[in-house]
Amino acid sequence: MGIFLKNVSKQYDDLFALKNINLFIHNGTFLAVVGKSGSGKSTLLNLIGDLDNPTDGSVSIDGINLTTLQQIDHDKFRNQYIGFVFQFSNLEPSYTVFENVELPLIIAGMKRSERKHKVLDALTKTNIIHKKNQKAMTLSGGEKQRVAIARAIVNQPKIILADEPCGNLDTENSDIIMSLLKSLQNEENIIVLVTHDVEHSKLANRVVTLKDGEVMKDTGDH
Ligand code: ADP
Ligand code: MG
């Protein structure tokens, strides 16, 4: 089981953001995607996260072909399978930490009593539980990213996608976020991290380097 990209291309007019990508990412993998700006990293992540469609080829997750899902199934699929963390945390500034993390569970239709336990669990894992009643806008950058990660994992998604989650942080906070991501790795899930930082890519057990939309290097699992 895992993520399977088969002959995946993403074309914008005459530009190939991704060109004939073939990748299998199996469960338990912490994959780092590296490459220069414009090499296609975010495009790849968005296709895996079902935020966008390939212009050619297919993306399957545990045998579910994303290209053939109906609209309503896309929303359900993303809610259940995918946790996304971006460079900017995109929290609701006037909501508390707790409320921000609760949001995906409300969308999933979960009962209040079940939600509370899940939210507290995610906030404990990301070490931000002490701020649970604070409004998001009062947090530091590093704290916001911890909340964003809590929100991404609260549904216990199979796949955690992080697109330069430390792009906006100092070294100390970046290290905290990276070890946090690493701590979330287990045998069942898949973490895909887009990063510019060579040090961060060392936490991964596989590194794929993109260049001009193509896989230039793939270390395989190690
Ligand atoms: P990276 O994340 O590695 O910096 P991206 O995946 O964002 O790269 O972009 C890859 C290429 O696709 C770039 O040349 C970018 O300009 C182009 N691109 C990305 N999104 C769009 C879009 N919506 N329309 C046109 N070109 C795009
Ligand atoms: Mg990008």
Side-chain angles (χ1 to χ4, degrees):
M1 298 298 236
I3 305 169
F4 185 29
L5 289 94
K6 192 173 169 204
N7 303 125
V8 167
S9 293
K10 179 72 183 181
Q11 193 175 0
Y12 296 107
D13 299 322
D14 55 352
L15 176 108
F16 278 90
L18 290 175
K19 211 183 292 173
N20 200 31
I21 303 284
N22 286 287
L23 275 180
F24 181 70
I25 308 162
H26 66 72
N27 290 356
T29 304
F30 187 138
L31 172 71
V33 179
V34 301
K36 287 191 188 140
S37 178
S39 57
K41 304 182 298 295
S42 294
T43 305
L44 180 70
L45 220 63
N46 291 344
L47 293 181
I48 293 173
D50 196 32
L51 292 179
D52 207 349
N53 301 310
T55 41
D56 222 327
S58 63
V59 180
S60 306
I61 292 172
D62 290 351
I64 304 168
N65 185 339
L66 304 188
T67 16
T68 61
L69 287 183
Q70 302 295 319
Q71 187 50 47
I72 184 157
D73 296 328
H74 282 289
D75 298 339
K76 211 168 153 196
F77 172 83
R78 272 195 302 272
N79 189 271
Q80 281 180 6
Y81 269 79
I82 309 284
F84 237 117
V85 185
F86 299 96
Q87 180 171 349
F88 298 98
S89 50
N90 303 318
L91 302 176
E92 278 300 328
S94 64
Y95 283 24
T96 65
V97 164
F98 186 97
E99 288 163 346
N100 268 284
V101 177
E102 190 182 25
L103 217 46
L105 301 180
I106 294 176
I107 293 167
M110 194 179 286
K111 280 189 292 191
R112 181 187 295 267
S113 52
E114 275 176 70
R115 294 200 303 257
K116 184 171 180 190
H117 153 80
K118 291 213 175 226
V119 172
L120 296 180
D121 188 45
L123 291 175
T124 305
K125 282 200 180 103
T126 55
N127 198 19
I128 195 74
I129 185 113
H130 54 293
K131 301 269 177 174
K132 69 178 161 47
N133 296 322
Q134 212 160 304
K135 289 202 163 147
M137 62 188 157
T138 66
L139 302 177
S140 73
E143 289 168 344
K144 280 183 185 153
Q145 280 308 59
R146 268 142 69 191
V147 178
I149 294 175
R151 182 181 55 183
I153 63 167
V154 72
N155 261 339
Q156 292 153 300
K158 181 197 172 78
I159 299 170
I160 301 166
L161 303 172
D163 195 348
E164 310 205 32
C166 303
N168 207 25
L169 300 179
D170 58 32
T171 318
E172 191 187 338
N173 279 301
S174 297
D175 290 347
I176 292 170
I177 293 298
M178 278 305 128
S179 40
L180 174 55
L181 276 178
K182 183 71 184 169
S183 75
L184 298 173
Q185 185 180 13
N186 63 42
E187 284 175 10
E188 302 300 319
N189 69 7
I190 293 174
I191 301 173
V192 186
L193 166 74
V194 167
T195 180
H196 269 111
D197 193 314
V198 180
E199 284 304 310
H200 293 168
S201 70
K202 287 180 185 161
L203 288 175
N205 56 302
R206 179 176 176 188
V207 182
V208 164
T209 309
L210 293 182
K211 189 181 178 210
D212 299 330
E214 294 185 271
V215 175
M216 188 177 78
K217 194 176 162 205
D218 183 350
T219 63
D221 296 307
H222 59 267

